[in-house]
């Protein structure tokens, strides 16, 4: 009987313990599931600030294949903006471009040797269909030769702050595919390389400086030379666009890539509820470890799901916010000895769910507008910027960006709420004398206390 009672008690205790622990264990499991991205490198970035939301091996230098064409797009849109190139100007293919365009084993629209093609036609063929000969044509239009254009690509990379990259041609093909016309100064077996961080940085700058790129990158299908004998259907290789097989809400760019060296790659971007994300996957693989076209979209989907589900855009501090205890700052040489300050703009950030209280405001004052004693120097205008407010992150992870200078993207100006005029020499003299007597009085009091 004693044994039965003991067994019953143990069984009941076990049931209670399981019921108590079950929700906790389920929660722990849900929070600890890793974001298993099957790729040699991957990154997810907030397109507004450049903040890194997810990273895997992001500084490894790997092949980028046709994602290269994003740099060609950047340089073309630069040239269009500077009016060095016009959309309606025409181009007749060089022997190199003509021969390359006839290779249908590569992504191409066939070009006639004596044909006349507008810059816009060639650009659309490149941006939608990843047409390689059309890309070389654009390089020749801008720089006279692909050799000169490659030099421009590498110089622009440096200007944009890219690191860990090298361009050897305008297309992203292996030089061995270029019919012996690979740019002078490069070897026949070279290929363009870049890190995932650099690739995401290029995408970030492309979207910031030339947002119109999405007008073309977002086109799922189009006919090249519609209504002519040269008409050819161009299906976008970005299968995540609306109406295509891996469609994903909000996707409107940017560029896929594949070579045997690089594997299947994709730099994507999507926008939902005012939030735009940038993703990069390099040499994406399926569950069997094989690089496939499908895998690059499956892995990108994981990244986008993580970003859109786990983060939301929040206004952490409104316009006009005043940090408690620092509502007023001391002023030197002013009619008033203090001035009120506030934020000139709201401070919004993409925040991970549940981490709203992990961000603390910090004032950083402009030292050029201050004395060595830490006082603002009068005169001060109403609304004058005297520094900025930024954020200090108290969470488990680091607040990382594509580059250190992008931390300025989470700053808002700190401005004065009223005007402070500079006082005259007489008042300043009286203050100095008053300060002198105050110091003497303080010293005398201390001396008397010492005697007592």
């Amino acid at each position: 009987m004693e044994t039965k009672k003991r067994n019953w008690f143990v069984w009941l205790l076990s049931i209670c313990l399981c019921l108590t622990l079950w929700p906790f264990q389920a929660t722990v499991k849900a929070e600890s599931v890793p974001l298993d991205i099957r790729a040699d490198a991957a990154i997810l970035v907030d397109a507004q600030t450049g903040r890194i939301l997810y990273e895997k091996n992001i500084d490894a230098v790997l092949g980028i294949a046709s994602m290269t064409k994003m740099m060609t797009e950047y340089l073309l849109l630069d040239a269009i903006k500077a009016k060095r190139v016009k959309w309606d100007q025409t181009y007749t293919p060089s022997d190199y471009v003509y021969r390359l365009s006839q290779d249908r084993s590569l992504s191409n629209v066939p070009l006639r040797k004596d044909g006349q093609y507008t810059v816009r036609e060639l650009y659309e063929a490149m941006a939608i269909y990843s047409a390689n000969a059309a890309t070389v044509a654009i390089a020749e239009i801008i720089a006279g030769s692909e050799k000169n254009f490659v030099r421009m690509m590498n110089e622009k990379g440096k200007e944009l702050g890219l690191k860990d990259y090298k361009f050897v041609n305008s297309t992203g093909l292996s030089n061995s595919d270029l019919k012996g016309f690979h740019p002078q100064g490069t070897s026949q077996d070279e290929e363009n390389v870049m890190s995932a961080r650099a690739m995401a940085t290029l995408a970030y700058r492309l979207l910031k400086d030339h947002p119109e790129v999405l007008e073309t990158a977002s086109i799922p299908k189009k006919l090249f030379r519609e209504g002519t004998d040269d008409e050819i259907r161009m299906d976008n290789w970005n299968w995540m666009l609306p109406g295509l097989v891996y469609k994903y809400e909000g996707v409107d760019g940017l560029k896929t890539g594949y070579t045997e060296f690089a594997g299947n790659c994709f730099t994507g971007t999507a926008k939902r509820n005012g939030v735009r994300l940038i993703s990069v996957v390099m040499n994406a693989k399926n569950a069997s470890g094989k690089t496939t076209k499908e895998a690059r979209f499956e892995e990108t989907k994981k990244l986008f799901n993580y970003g859109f589900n786990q983060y939301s855009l929040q206004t952490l501090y409104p316009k006009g916010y005043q940090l408690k205890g620092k509502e007023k700052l001391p002023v030197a040489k002013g009619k008033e000895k203090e001035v009120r300050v506030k934020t000139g703009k709201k401070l919004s950030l993409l925040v991970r769910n549940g981490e709203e209280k992990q961000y603390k405001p910090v004032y950083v004052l402009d030292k050029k507008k201050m004395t060595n004693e830490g006082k603002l120097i009068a005169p001060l205008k109403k609304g004058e910027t005297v520094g900025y407010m930024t954020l200090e992150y108290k969470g488990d992870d680091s607040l990382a960006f594509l580059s250190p200078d992008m931390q300025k993207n989470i700053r808002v100006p700190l401005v004065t709420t009223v005007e402070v005029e500079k006082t005259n020499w007489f008042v300043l003299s009286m203050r100095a004398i008053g300060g002198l007597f105050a110091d003497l009085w303080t010293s005398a009091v201390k001396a008397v206390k010492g005697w007592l």
Side-chain angles (χ1 to χ4, degrees), residues 49 133 182 401 425 444:
T49 63
H182 56 277
F401 295 84
W425 68 269

Side-chain angles (χ1 to χ4, degrees), residues 139-150:
E140 292 182 351
I141 290 168
I142 294 172
S145 69
E146 191 175 20
K147 173 190 174 182
N148 291 339
F149 189 76
V150 167

Side-chain angles (χ1 to χ4, degrees), residues 82-294:
K83 297 183 179 180
R84 297 193 305 273
V85 174
K86 297 180 180 179
W87 286 119
D88 60 355
Q89 76 180 67
T90 57
Y91 165 86
T92 299
S94 63
D95 184 50
Y96 167 28
V97 168
Y98 167 72
R99 290 172 60 182
L100 184 63
S101 76
Q102 304 306 304
D103 188 345
R104 297 310 305 277
S105 68
L106 306 173
S107 186
N108 267 316
V109 291
L111 303 175
R112 293 180 182 271
K113 195 167 188 178
D114 58 351
Q116 293 283 312
Y117 302 92
T118 67
V119 170
R120 187 174 295 280
E121 286 178 316
L122 296 168
Y123 169 64
E124 290 179 345
M126 172 180 68
I128 299 170
Y129 198 47
S130 199
N132 290 291
T135 303
V136 178
I138 289 171
E140 292 182 351
I141 290 168
I142 294 172
S145 69
E146 191 175 20
K147 173 190 174 182
N148 291 339
F149 189 76
V150 167
R151 176 180 51 79
M152 291 177 64
M153 295 172 81
N154 285 295
E155 289 175 353
K156 179 59 70 171
K158 184 177 181 180
E159 180 186 321
L160 295 179
L162 305 188
K163 296 181 179 179
D164 304 317
Y165 72 95
K166 183 180 181 182
F167 294 108
V168 297
N169 61 54
S170 62
T171 61
L173 291 171
S174 171
N175 271 357
S176 60
D177 290 323
L178 299 180
K179 316 299 179 186
F181 287 99
H182 56 277
Q184 292 179 10
T186 67
S187 64
Q188 188 169 348
D189 59 351
E190 280 191 288
E191 192 160 327
N192 298 330
V193 295
M194 192 179 284
S195 68
R197 183 196 295 270
M199 198 75 247
T201 303
L202 175 57
Y204 171 88
R205 288 300 304 270
L206 180 60
L207 293 173
K208 288 281 188 184
D209 301 341
H210 299 294
E212 67 273 20
V213 70
L214 296 178
E215 296 172 10
T216 306
S218 62
I219 298 173
K221 301 175 182 179
K222 187 164 187 174
L223 294 175
F224 179 74
R225 297 230 137 177
E226 184 176 6
T228 71
D229 292 340
D230 296 334
E231 179 179 292
I232 183 172
R233 174 171 165 158
M234 299 187 297
D235 290 337
N236 203 312
W237 291 102
N238 177 2
W239 295 352
M240 298 187 83
L241 291 172
L244 302 185
V245 63
Y246 278 91
K247 61 183 178 182
Y248 187 94
E249 181 187 350
V251 168
D252 51 6
L254 272 163
K255 194 70 197 72
T256 59
Y258 171 78
T259 63
E260 187 175 348
F261 171 72
N264 282 280
C265 310
F266 181 41
T267 297
T269 185
K271 185 175 182 180
R272 288 186 183 179
N273 302 318
V275 174
R276 178 172 292 282
L277 300 178
I278 295 169
S279 66
V280 179
V281 292
M282 304 178 77
N283 196 17
K285 304 176 181 70
N286 61 19
S288 302
K290 181 181 179 182
T291 184
T292 66
K293 293 182 178 68
E294 295 79 7

Side-chain angles (χ1 to χ4, degrees), residues 224-417:
F224 179 74
R225 297 230 137 177
E226 184 176 6
T228 71
D229 292 340
D230 296 334
E231 179 179 292
I232 183 172
R233 174 171 165 158
M234 299 187 297
D235 290 337
N236 203 312
W237 291 102
N238 177 2
W239 295 352
M240 298 187 83
L241 291 172
L244 302 185
V245 63
Y246 278 91
K247 61 183 178 182
Y248 187 94
E249 181 187 350
V251 168
D252 51 6
L254 272 163
K255 194 70 197 72
T256 59
Y258 171 78
T259 63
E260 187 175 348
F261 171 72
N264 282 280
C265 310
F266 181 41
T267 297
T269 185
K271 185 175 182 180
R272 288 186 183 179
N273 302 318
V275 174
R276 178 172 292 282
L277 300 178
I278 295 169
S279 66
V280 179
V281 292
M282 304 178 77
N283 196 17
K285 304 176 181 70
N286 61 19
S288 302
K290 181 181 179 182
T291 184
T292 66
K293 293 182 178 68
E294 295 79 7
R296 60 190 176 189
F297 304 122
E298 292 287 359
E299 302 313 297
T300 298
K301 180 180 178 180
K302 291 180 188 177
L303 290 171
F304 284 155
N305 282 345
Y306 171 73
F308 288 124
N309 294 338
Q310 297 297 319
Y311 287 82
S312 61
L313 184 62
Q314 300 188 34
T315 298
L316 296 178
Y317 298 97
K319 179 181 179 181
Y321 174 80
Q322 294 180 304
L323 183 58
K324 189 175 181 180
K326 292 188 177 181
E327 297 90 345
K328 297 179 181 179
L329 297 178
V331 177
K333 302 180 180 180
K335 286 188 175 181
E336 288 78 31
K337 293 183 179 181
E338 294 179 321
V339 65
R340 284 186 172 272
V341 294
K342 64 180 182 179
T343 55
K345 295 180 179 180
K346 67 180 181 179
L347 205 168
S348 300
L349 186 69
L350 202 57
V351 177
R352 187 156 51 191
N353 299 340
E355 287 198 342
E356 296 83 357
K357 295 182 180 180
Q358 299 296 325
Y359 297 89
K360 304 300 179 185
V362 177
Y363 280 179
V364 179
L365 300 177
D366 186 348
K367 292 182 179 179
K368 295 179 181 178
K369 297 186 177 184
M370 301 179 70
T371 66
N372 293 333
E373 293 75 32
K375 294 182 179 181
L376 294 171
I377 303 171
L380 296 165
K381 297 177 182 179
K382 180 181 179 180
E384 182 172 342
T385 299
V386 295
Y388 60 87
M389 188 179 83
T390 187
L391 297 172
E392 182 179 348
Y393 179 57
K394 300 290 187 179
D396 296 332
D397 301 325
S398 61
L399 193 59
F401 295 84
L402 287 171
S403 62
D405 68 295
M406 291 184 189
Q407 292 188 22
K408 68 179 183 295
N409 294 331
I410 58 169
R411 299 175 182 175
V412 291
L414 194 62
V415 300
T416 56
T417 62

